[in-house]
PDB file of all heavy atoms in Angstrom:
ATOM      1  N   ARG B1390      20.951  54.049  37.332  1.00 86.00           N
ATOM      2  CA  ARG B1390      20.185  52.776  37.306  1.00 86.00           C
ATOM      3  C   ARG B1390      20.101  52.121  35.935  1.00 86.00           C
ATOM      4  O   ARG B1390      20.223  52.918  34.900  1.00 86.00           O
ATOM      5  CB  ARG B1390      18.835  52.938  37.933  1.00 86.00           C
ATOM      6  CG  ARG B1390      18.791  53.209  39.269  1.00 86.00           C
ATOM      7  CD  ARG B1390      17.516  53.753  39.704  1.00 86.00           C
ATOM      8  NE  ARG B1390      16.454  52.823  39.445  1.00 86.00           N
ATOM      9  CZ  ARG B1390      15.119  53.018  39.643  1.00 86.00           C
ATOM     10  NH1 ARG B1390      14.644  54.266  40.057  1.00 86.00           N
ATOM     11  NH2 ARG B1390      14.265  52.215  39.382  1.00 86.00           N
ATOM     12  N   ALA B1391      19.933  50.864  35.810  1.00 90.00           N
ATOM     13  CA  ALA B1391      19.813  50.229  34.558  1.00 90.00           C
ATOM     14  C   ALA B1391      18.800  49.093  34.675  1.00 90.00           C
ATOM     15  O   ALA B1391      18.550  48.534  35.748  1.00 90.00           O
ATOM     16  CB  ALA B1391      21.092  49.826  34.020  1.00 90.00           C
ATOM     17  N   ASN B1392      18.212  48.686  33.574  1.00 90.00           N
ATOM     18  CA  ASN B1392      17.463  47.444  33.495  1.00 90.00           C
ATOM     19  C   ASN B1392      18.350  46.463  32.904  1.00 90.00           C
ATOM     20  O   ASN B1392      18.990  46.657  31.880  1.00 90.00           O
ATOM     21  CB  ASN B1392      16.275  47.555  32.666  1.00 90.00           C
ATOM     22  CG  ASN B1392      15.203  48.309  33.347  1.00 90.00           C
ATOM     23  OD1 ASN B1392      15.151  48.287  34.625  1.00 90.00           O
ATOM     24  ND2 ASN B1392      14.175  48.898  32.553  1.00 90.00           N
ATOM     25  N   LEU B1393      18.360  45.238  33.539  1.00 93.00           N
ATOM     26  CA  LEU B1393      19.190  44.177  32.975  1.00 93.00           C
ATOM     27  C   LEU B1393      18.179  43.088  32.593  1.00 93.00           C
ATOM     28  O   LEU B1393      17.310  42.609  33.476  1.00 93.00           O
ATOM     29  CB  LEU B1393      20.145  43.617  34.026  1.00 93.00           C
ATOM     30  CG  LEU B1393      21.403  42.857  33.595  1.00 93.00           C
ATOM     31  CD1 LEU B1393      22.239  43.740  32.653  1.00 93.00           C
ATOM     32  CD2 LEU B1393      22.133  42.403  34.711  1.00 93.00           C
ATOM     33  N   ILE B1394      18.128  42.658  31.326  1.00 92.00           N
ATOM     34  CA  ILE B1394      17.092  41.754  30.831  1.00 92.00           C
ATOM     35  C   ILE B1394      17.790  40.479  30.428  1.00 92.00           C
ATOM     36  O   ILE B1394      18.627  40.487  29.502  1.00 92.00           O
ATOM     37  CB  ILE B1394      16.249  42.313  29.680  1.00 92.00           C
ATOM     38  CG1 ILE B1394      15.408  43.491  30.282  1.00 92.00           C
ATOM     39  CG2 ILE B1394      15.415  41.256  29.108  1.00 92.00           C
ATOM     40  CD1 ILE B1394      15.043  44.483  29.142  1.00 92.00           C
ATOM     41  N   ILE B1395      17.541  39.437  31.140  1.00 94.00           N
ATOM     42  CA  ILE B1395      18.063  38.078  30.934  1.00 94.00           C
ATOM     43  C   ILE B1395      17.107  37.109  30.469  1.00 94.00           C
ATOM     44  O   ILE B1395      16.021  37.015  30.970  1.00 94.00           O
ATOM     45  CB  ILE B1395      18.705  37.659  32.290  1.00 94.00           C
ATOM     46  CG1 ILE B1395      19.829  38.554  32.772  1.00 94.00           C
ATOM     47  CG2 ILE B1395      19.417  36.231  32.088  1.00 94.00           C
ATOM     48  CD1 ILE B1395      19.584  39.139  34.102  1.00 94.00           C
ATOM     49  N   VAL B1396      17.572  36.347  29.346  1.00 93.00           N
ATOM     50  CA  VAL B1396      16.710  35.202  28.969  1.00 93.00           C
ATOM     51  C   VAL B1396      17.566  33.960  29.080  1.00 93.00           C
ATOM     52  O   VAL B1396      18.760  34.003  28.655  1.00 93.00           O
ATOM     53  CB  VAL B1396      16.277  35.410  27.506  1.00 93.00           C
ATOM     54  CG1 VAL B1396      15.420  34.156  27.055  1.00 93.00           C
ATOM     55  CG2 VAL B1396      15.519  36.668  27.218  1.00 93.00           C
ATOM     56  N   THR B1397      17.081  32.976  29.677  1.00 95.00           N
ATOM     57  CA  THR B1397      17.833  31.827  30.073  1.00 95.00           C
ATOM     58  C   THR B1397      17.632  30.634  28.961  1.00 95.00           C
ATOM     59  O   THR B1397      16.668  30.774  28.231  1.00 95.00           O
ATOM     60  CB  THR B1397      17.373  31.255  31.391  1.00 95.00           C
ATOM     61  OG1 THR B1397      16.086  30.601  31.264  1.00 95.00           O
ATOM     62  CG2 THR B1397      17.323  32.255  32.521  1.00 95.00           C
ATOM     63  N   HIS B1398      18.471  29.731  29.067  1.00 94.00           N
ATOM     64  CA  HIS B1398      18.240  28.494  28.419  1.00 94.00           C
ATOM     65  C   HIS B1398      17.324  27.606  29.209  1.00 94.00           C
ATOM     66  O   HIS B1398      16.957  28.055  30.329  1.00 94.00           O
ATOM     67  CB  HIS B1398      19.552  27.725  28.065  1.00 94.00           C
ATOM     68  CG  HIS B1398      20.344  28.300  26.924  1.00 94.00           C
ATOM     69  ND1 HIS B1398      19.872  28.278  25.744  1.00 94.00           N
ATOM     70  CD2 HIS B1398      21.552  28.965  26.914  1.00 94.00           C
ATOM     71  CE1 HIS B1398      20.875  28.841  24.932  1.00 94.00           C
ATOM     72  NE2 HIS B1398      21.827  29.237  25.651  1.00 94.00           N
ATOM     73  N   THR B1399      16.926  26.446  28.715  1.00 94.00           N
ATOM     74  CA  THR B1399      16.035  25.636  29.466  1.00 94.00           C
ATOM     75  C   THR B1399      16.648  25.093  30.714  1.00 94.00           C
ATOM     76  O   THR B1399      17.745  24.730  30.764  1.00 94.00           O
ATOM     77  CB  THR B1399      15.544  24.458  28.530  1.00 94.00           C
ATOM     78  OG1 THR B1399      14.953  24.951  27.340  1.00 94.00           O
ATOM     79  CG2 THR B1399      14.524  23.613  29.337  1.00 94.00           C
ATOM     80  N   ALA B1400      15.857  25.191  31.814  1.00 95.00           N
ATOM     81  CA  ALA B1400      16.340  24.636  33.142  1.00 95.00           C
ATOM     82  C   ALA B1400      15.059  24.272  33.901  1.00 95.00           C
ATOM     83  O   ALA B1400      13.946  24.509  33.432  1.00 95.00           O
ATOM     84  CB  ALA B1400      17.020  25.640  33.871  1.00 95.00           C
ATOM     85  N   SER B1401      15.198  23.614  35.068  1.00 94.00           N
ATOM     86  CA  SER B1401      14.048  23.210  35.877  1.00 94.00           C
ATOM     87  C   SER B1401      13.488  24.506  36.467  1.00 94.00           C
ATOM     88  O   SER B1401      14.174  25.449  36.816  1.00 94.00           O
ATOM     89  CB  SER B1401      14.466  22.242  36.892  1.00 94.00           C
ATOM     90  OG  SER B1401      15.092  22.930  37.948  1.00 94.00           O
ATOM     91  N   ASP B1402      12.190  24.480  36.587  1.00 94.00           N
ATOM     92  CA  ASP B1402      11.556  25.713  37.208  1.00 94.00           C
ATOM     93  C   ASP B1402      11.982  25.928  38.531  1.00 94.00           C
ATOM     94  O   ASP B1402      12.139  27.075  39.123  1.00 94.00           O
ATOM     95  CB  ASP B1402      10.021  25.470  37.258  1.00 94.00           C
ATOM     96  CG  ASP B1402       9.240  26.828  37.332  1.00 94.00           C
ATOM     97  OD1 ASP B1402       9.164  27.491  36.245  1.00 94.00           O
ATOM     98  OD2 ASP B1402       8.782  27.116  38.414  1.00 94.00           O
ATOM     99  N   ALA B1403      12.428  24.854  39.321  1.00 95.00           N
ATOM    100  CA  ALA B1403      13.025  25.041  40.647  1.00 95.00           C
ATOM    101  C   ALA B1403      14.300  25.816  40.627  1.00 95.00           C
ATOM    102  O   ALA B1403      14.448  26.697  41.418  1.00 95.00           O
ATOM    103  CB  ALA B1403      13.128  23.620  41.314  1.00 95.00           C
ATOM    104  N   ALA B1404      15.227  25.325  39.682  1.00 96.00           N
ATOM    105  CA  ALA B1404      16.405  26.127  39.660  1.00 96.00           C
ATOM    106  C   ALA B1404      16.183  27.515  39.287  1.00 96.00           C
ATOM    107  O   ALA B1404      16.961  28.421  39.716  1.00 96.00           O
ATOM    108  CB  ALA B1404      17.346  25.329  38.633  1.00 96.00           C
ATOM    109  N   LEU B1405      15.395  27.777  38.303  1.00 95.00           N
ATOM    110  CA  LEU B1405      15.125  29.142  37.859  1.00 95.00           C
ATOM    111  C   LEU B1405      14.474  30.100  38.963  1.00 95.00           C
ATOM    112  O   LEU B1405      14.844  31.133  39.140  1.00 95.00           O
ATOM    113  CB  LEU B1405      14.139  29.096  36.672  1.00 95.00           C
ATOM    114  CG  LEU B1405      14.775  28.616  35.369  1.00 95.00           C
ATOM    115  CD1 LEU B1405      13.602  28.124  34.394  1.00 95.00           C
ATOM    116  CD2 LEU B1405      15.619  29.620  34.696  1.00 95.00           C
ATOM    117  N   SER B1406      13.653  29.442  39.636  1.00 95.00           N
ATOM    118  CA  SER B1406      12.952  30.052  40.680  1.00 95.00           C
ATOM    119  C   SER B1406      13.857  30.343  41.900  1.00 95.00           C
ATOM    120  O   SER B1406      13.945  31.386  42.489  1.00 95.00           O
ATOM    121  CB  SER B1406      11.674  29.316  41.081  1.00 95.00           C
ATOM    122  OG  SER B1406      11.420  29.370  42.462  1.00 95.00           O
ATOM    123  N   ALA B1407      14.788  29.395  42.213  1.00 96.00           N
ATOM    124  CA  ALA B1407      15.842  29.635  43.251  1.00 96.00           C
ATOM    125  C   ALA B1407      16.726  30.719  42.806  1.00 96.00           C
ATOM    126  O   ALA B1407      17.206  31.586  43.628  1.00 96.00           O
ATOM    127  CB  ALA B1407      16.614  28.306  43.433  1.00 96.00           C
ATOM    128  N   THR B1408      17.023  30.754  41.584  1.00 97.00           N
ATOM    129  CA  THR B1408      18.008  31.875  41.031  1.00 97.00           C
ATOM    130  C   THR B1408      17.320  33.201  41.168  1.00 97.00           C
ATOM    131  O   THR B1408      18.074  34.106  41.713  1.00 97.00           O
ATOM    132  CB  THR B1408      18.201  31.652  39.448  1.00 97.00           C
ATOM    133  OG1 THR B1408      18.786  30.210  39.237  1.00 97.00           O
ATOM    134  CG2 THR B1408      19.190  32.677  38.930  1.00 97.00           C
ATOM    135  N   VAL B1409      16.094  33.302  40.849  1.00 96.00           N
ATOM    136  CA  VAL B1409      15.398  34.606  41.022  1.00 96.00           C
ATOM    137  C   VAL B1409      15.412  34.993  42.578  1.00 96.00           C
ATOM    138  O   VAL B1409      15.694  36.123  42.935  1.00 96.00           O
ATOM    139  CB  VAL B1409      13.995  34.598  40.547  1.00 96.00           C
ATOM    140  CG1 VAL B1409      13.234  35.772  40.870  1.00 96.00           C
ATOM    141  CG2 VAL B1409      14.002  34.355  39.070  1.00 96.00           C
ATOM    142  N   GLU B1410      15.146  34.056  43.540  1.00 96.00           N
ATOM    143  CA  GLU B1410      15.205  34.332  44.915  1.00 96.00           C
ATOM    144  C   GLU B1410      16.557  34.852  45.305  1.00 96.00           C
ATOM    145  O   GLU B1410      16.679  35.864  46.092  1.00 96.00           O
ATOM    146  CB  GLU B1410      14.901  33.053  45.719  1.00 96.00           C
ATOM    147  CG  GLU B1410      13.419  32.747  45.640  1.00 96.00           C
ATOM    148  CD  GLU B1410      12.500  33.915  45.842  1.00 96.00           C
ATOM    149  OE1 GLU B1410      12.507  34.670  46.879  1.00 96.00           O
ATOM    150  OE2 GLU B1410      11.696  34.231  44.900  1.00 96.00           O
ATOM    151  N   ASN B1411      17.608  34.202  44.839  1.00 95.00           N
ATOM    152  CA  ASN B1411      18.953  34.726  45.135  1.00 95.00           C
ATOM    153  C   ASN B1411      19.277  36.099  44.544  1.00 95.00           C
ATOM    154  O   ASN B1411      19.975  36.832  45.241  1.00 95.00           O
ATOM    155  CB  ASN B1411      20.035  33.697  44.497  1.00 95.00           C
ATOM    156  CG  ASN B1411      19.987  32.343  45.328  1.00 95.00           C
ATOM    157  OD1 ASN B1411      19.354  32.293  46.401  1.00 95.00           O
ATOM    158  ND2 ASN B1411      20.565  31.332  44.715  1.00 95.00           N
ATOM    159  N   LEU B1412      18.744  36.286  43.316  1.00 96.00           N
ATOM    160  CA  LEU B1412      19.027  37.626  42.725  1.00 96.00           C
ATOM    161  C   LEU B1412      18.457  38.718  43.639  1.00 96.00           C
ATOM    162  O   LEU B1412      18.953  39.803  43.895  1.00 96.00           O
ATOM    163  CB  LEU B1412      18.393  37.671  41.369  1.00 96.00           C
ATOM    164  CG  LEU B1412      18.920  36.929  40.169  1.00 96.00           C
ATOM    165  CD1 LEU B1412      18.065  36.860  39.020  1.00 96.00           C
ATOM    166  CD2 LEU B1412      20.317  37.512  39.836  1.00 96.00           C
ATOM    167  N   ARG B1413      17.328  38.430  44.314  1.00 95.00           N
ATOM    168  CA  ARG B1413      16.560  39.415  45.116  1.00 95.00           C
ATOM    169  C   ARG B1413      17.546  39.817  46.337  1.00 95.00           C
ATOM    170  O   ARG B1413      17.356  40.975  46.977  1.00 95.00           O
ATOM    171  CB  ARG B1413      15.283  38.854  45.692  1.00 95.00           C
ATOM    172  CG  ARG B1413      14.221  38.761  44.766  1.00 95.00           C
ATOM    173  CD  ARG B1413      12.875  38.330  45.408  1.00 95.00           C
ATOM    174  NE  ARG B1413      11.932  37.757  44.450  1.00 95.00           N
ATOM    175  CZ  ARG B1413      11.173  38.340  43.599  1.00 95.00           C
ATOM    176  NH1 ARG B1413      11.202  39.653  43.552  1.00 95.00           N
ATOM    177  NH2 ARG B1413      10.421  37.675  42.751  1.00 95.00           N
ATOM    178  N   THR B1414      18.472  38.872  46.764  1.00 95.00           N
ATOM    179  CA  THR B1414      19.302  39.216  47.887  1.00 95.00           C
ATOM    180  C   THR B1414      20.560  39.944  47.479  1.00 95.00           C
ATOM    181  O   THR B1414      21.350  40.305  48.368  1.00 95.00           O
ATOM    182  CB  THR B1414      19.689  37.871  48.590  1.00 95.00           C
ATOM    183  OG1 THR B1414      20.559  37.193  47.717  1.00 95.00           O
ATOM    184  CG2 THR B1414      18.483  37.029  48.947  1.00 95.00           C
ATOM    185  N   LEU B1415      20.845  40.041  46.240  1.00 94.00           N
ATOM    186  CA  LEU B1415      22.143  40.711  45.814  1.00 94.00           C
ATOM    187  C   LEU B1415      22.058  42.124  46.135  1.00 94.00           C
ATOM    188  O   LEU B1415      20.924  42.853  45.754  1.00 94.00           O
ATOM    189  CB  LEU B1415      22.405  40.420  44.326  1.00 94.00           C
ATOM    190  CG  LEU B1415      22.710  39.029  43.906  1.00 94.00           C
ATOM    191  CD1 LEU B1415      23.141  38.976  42.386  1.00 94.00           C
ATOM    192  CD2 LEU B1415      23.819  38.477  44.656  1.00 94.00           C
ATOM    193  N   ASP B1416      23.087  42.730  46.565  1.00 92.00           N
ATOM    194  CA  ASP B1416      23.143  44.215  46.768  1.00 92.00           C
ATOM    195  C   ASP B1416      23.096  45.023  45.489  1.00 92.00           C
ATOM    196  O   ASP B1416      22.573  46.128  45.529  1.00 92.00           O
ATOM    197  CB  ASP B1416      24.284  44.713  47.683  1.00 92.00           C
ATOM    198  CG  ASP B1416      25.735  44.405  46.978  1.00 92.00           C
ATOM    199  OD1 ASP B1416      25.617  43.582  45.968  1.00 92.00           O
ATOM    200  OD2 ASP B1416      26.681  44.769  47.494  1.00 92.00           O
ATOM    201  N   VAL B1417      23.654  44.532  44.422  1.00 92.00           N
ATOM    202  CA  VAL B1417      23.629  45.212  43.179  1.00 92.00           C
ATOM    203  C   VAL B1417      22.145  45.235  42.452  1.00 92.00           C
ATOM    204  O   VAL B1417      21.854  46.084  41.553  1.00 92.00           O
ATOM    205  CB  VAL B1417      24.746  44.693  42.178  1.00 92.00           C
ATOM    206  CG1 VAL B1417      26.028  44.908  42.686  1.00 92.00           C
ATOM    207  CG2 VAL B1417      24.392  43.172  41.798  1.00 92.00           C
ATOM    208  N   VAL B1418      21.343  44.331  43.013  1.00 94.00           N
ATOM    209  CA  VAL B1418      20.001  44.208  42.365  1.00 94.00           C
ATOM    210  C   VAL B1418      18.947  45.098  43.268  1.00 94.00           C
ATOM    211  O   VAL B1418      18.784  44.814  44.447  1.00 94.00           O
ATOM    212  CB  VAL B1418      19.447  42.791  42.309  1.00 94.00           C
ATOM    213  CG1 VAL B1418      18.018  42.776  41.859  1.00 94.00           C
ATOM    214  CG2 VAL B1418      20.366  41.984  41.387  1.00 94.00           C
ATOM    215  N   ARG B1419      18.544  46.158  42.618  1.00 93.00           N
ATOM    216  CA  ARG B1419      17.535  46.982  43.388  1.00 93.00           C
ATOM    217  C   ARG B1419      16.102  46.422  43.406  1.00 93.00           C
ATOM    218  O   ARG B1419      15.423  46.692  44.285  1.00 93.00           O
ATOM    219  CB  ARG B1419      17.410  48.411  42.745  1.00 93.00           C
ATOM    220  CG  ARG B1419      18.730  49.173  42.961  1.00 93.00           C
ATOM    221  CD  ARG B1419      18.715  50.297  41.785  1.00 93.00           C
ATOM    222  NE  ARG B1419      19.969  51.048  41.842  1.00 93.00           N
ATOM    223  CZ  ARG B1419      20.121  52.357  42.268  1.00 93.00           C
ATOM    224  NH1 ARG B1419      19.036  52.907  42.797  1.00 93.00           N
ATOM    225  NH2 ARG B1419      21.256  52.879  42.318  1.00 93.00           N
ATOM    226  N   GLY B1420      15.937  45.682  42.384  1.00 92.00           N
ATOM    227  CA  GLY B1420      14.544  45.060  42.380  1.00 92.00           C
ATOM    228  C   GLY B1420      14.378  44.140  41.214  1.00 92.00           C
ATOM    229  O   GLY B1420      15.129  44.173  40.215  1.00 92.00           O
ATOM    230  N   VAL B1421      13.494  43.156  41.298  1.00 93.00           N
ATOM    231  CA  VAL B1421      13.153  42.267  40.191  1.00 93.00           C
ATOM    232  C   VAL B1421      11.820  42.813  39.557  1.00 93.00           C
ATOM    233  O   VAL B1421      10.797  42.721  40.127  1.00 93.00           O
ATOM    234  CB  VAL B1421      12.916  40.757  40.709  1.00 93.00           C
ATOM    235  CG1 VAL B1421      12.571  39.871  39.505  1.00 93.00           C
ATOM    236  CG2 VAL B1421      14.195  40.324  41.351  1.00 93.00           C
ATOM    237  N   ASN B1422      12.022  43.374  38.354  1.00 89.00           N
ATOM    238  CA  ASN B1422      10.767  44.028  37.717  1.00 89.00           C
ATOM    239  C   ASN B1422       9.849  43.008  37.246  1.00 89.00           C
ATOM    240  O   ASN B1422       8.669  43.157  37.553  1.00 89.00           O
ATOM    241  CB  ASN B1422      11.264  44.801  36.556  1.00 89.00           C
ATOM    242  CG  ASN B1422      12.132  45.929  36.817  1.00 89.00           C
ATOM    243  OD1 ASN B1422      12.079  46.495  37.916  1.00 89.00           O
ATOM    244  ND2 ASN B1422      13.087  46.291  35.968  1.00 89.00           N
ATOM    245  N   SER B1423      10.278  41.992  36.726  1.00 89.00           N
ATOM    246  CA  SER B1423       9.299  40.887  36.271  1.00 89.00           C
ATOM    247  C   SER B1423      10.143  39.667  35.963  1.00 89.00           C
ATOM    248  O   SER B1423      11.292  39.668  35.620  1.00 89.00           O
ATOM    249  CB  SER B1423       8.549  41.328  35.029  1.00 89.00           C
ATOM    250  OG  SER B1423       9.373  41.261  33.864  1.00 89.00           O
ATOM    251  N   VAL B1424       9.313  38.613  36.020  1.00 92.00           N
ATOM    252  CA  VAL B1424       9.828  37.267  35.741  1.00 92.00           C
ATOM    253  C   VAL B1424       8.764  36.563  34.907  1.00 92.00           C
ATOM    254  O   VAL B1424       7.505  36.613  35.221  1.00 92.00           O
ATOM    255  CB  VAL B1424      10.018  36.371  36.980  1.00 92.00           C
ATOM    256  CG1 VAL B1424      10.522  34.965  36.604  1.00 92.00           C
ATOM    257  CG2 VAL B1424      11.056  37.080  37.874  1.00 92.00           C
ATOM    258  N   MET B1425       9.049  36.143  33.704  1.00 91.00           N
ATOM    259  CA  MET B1425       8.114  35.483  32.885  1.00 91.00           C
ATOM    260  C   MET B1425       8.741  34.271  32.169  1.00 91.00           C
ATOM    261  O   MET B1425       9.906  34.329  31.734  1.00 91.00           O
ATOM    262  CB  MET B1425       7.462  36.357  31.913  1.00 91.00           C
ATOM    263  CG  MET B1425       6.252  35.775  31.189  1.00 91.00           C
ATOM    264  SD  MET B1425       5.278  36.851  30.197  1.00 91.00           S
ATOM    265  CE  MET B1425       4.693  37.998  31.503  1.00 91.00           C
ATOM    266  N   ARG B1426       7.858  33.215  32.047  1.00 93.00           N
ATOM    267  CA  ARG B1426       8.390  32.039  31.320  1.00 93.00           C
ATOM    268  C   ARG B1426       8.324  32.247  29.905  1.00 93.00           C
ATOM    269  O   ARG B1426       7.516  33.039  29.419  1.00 93.00           O
ATOM    270  CB  ARG B1426       7.629  30.769  31.751  1.00 93.00           C
ATOM    271  CG  ARG B1426       7.815  30.449  33.242  1.00 93.00           C
ATOM    272  CD  ARG B1426       7.088  29.175  33.668  1.00 93.00           C
ATOM    273  NE  ARG B1426       7.176  29.017  35.118  1.00 93.00           N
ATOM    274  CZ  ARG B1426       6.421  29.544  36.033  1.00 93.00           C
ATOM    275  NH1 ARG B1426       5.335  30.296  35.661  1.00 93.00           N
ATOM    276  NH2 ARG B1426       6.550  29.282  37.290  1.00 93.00           N
TER     277      ARG B1426
END
Side-chain angles (χ1 to χ4, degrees):
Chain B
R1390 293 163 57 185
N1392 282 338
L1393 207 56
I1394 293 157
I1395 296 129
V1396 179
T1397 72
H1398 283 294
T1399 300
S1401 76
D1402 202 75
L1405 289 160
S1406 148
T1408 304
V1409 172
E1410 285 318 302
N1411 291 345
L1412 289 171
R1413 288 185 205 278
T1414 67
L1415 293 186
D1416 60 348
V1417 296
V1418 174
R1419 291 164 185 249
V1421 177
N1422 297 328
S1423 80
V1424 176
M1425 191 168 293
R1426 296 184 186 86

